[in-house]
Amino acid sequence: MSSNSSKRVGGEYGAIRANLDVHKLNTYIKAHVPVVSAPVQVQQFKFGQVCLLSYFAGVVSG
């Protein structure tokens, strides 16, 4: 594996490319996960398999 390709593993994310209802996710989080302050901002990792989508969720500040 080259050093150039190892820098890209899991580090880049951007707009959601799959059908994910972020509003419903935030509603669920508010009701069932009190340790997380909804709303959360969700982005999708750019690399990965189509059958196993991975997302990055972070708390929206301010």
Side-chain angles (χ1 to χ4, degrees):
M1 177 183 267
S2 72
S3 62
N4 191 23
S5 64
S6 64
K7 292 178 184 177
R8 296 173 37 154
V9 175
E12 296 182 35
Y13 49 87
I16 297 174
R17 301 179 310 279
N19 188 15
L20 177 68
D21 191 332
V22 177
H23 176 73
K24 284 185 179 180
L25 174 64
N26 279 307
T27 300
Y28 178 87
I29 289 171
K30 285 179 185 177
H32 301 286
V33 190
V35 296
V36 175
S37 298
V40 295
Q41 178 183 18
V42 180
Q43 296 182 309
Q44 187 173 2
F45 285 100
K46 292 184 177 183
F47 301 100
Q49 299 177 11
V50 175
C51 63
L52 183 60
L53 303 175
S54 297
Y55 298 93
F56 176 83
V59 176
V60 178
S61 61

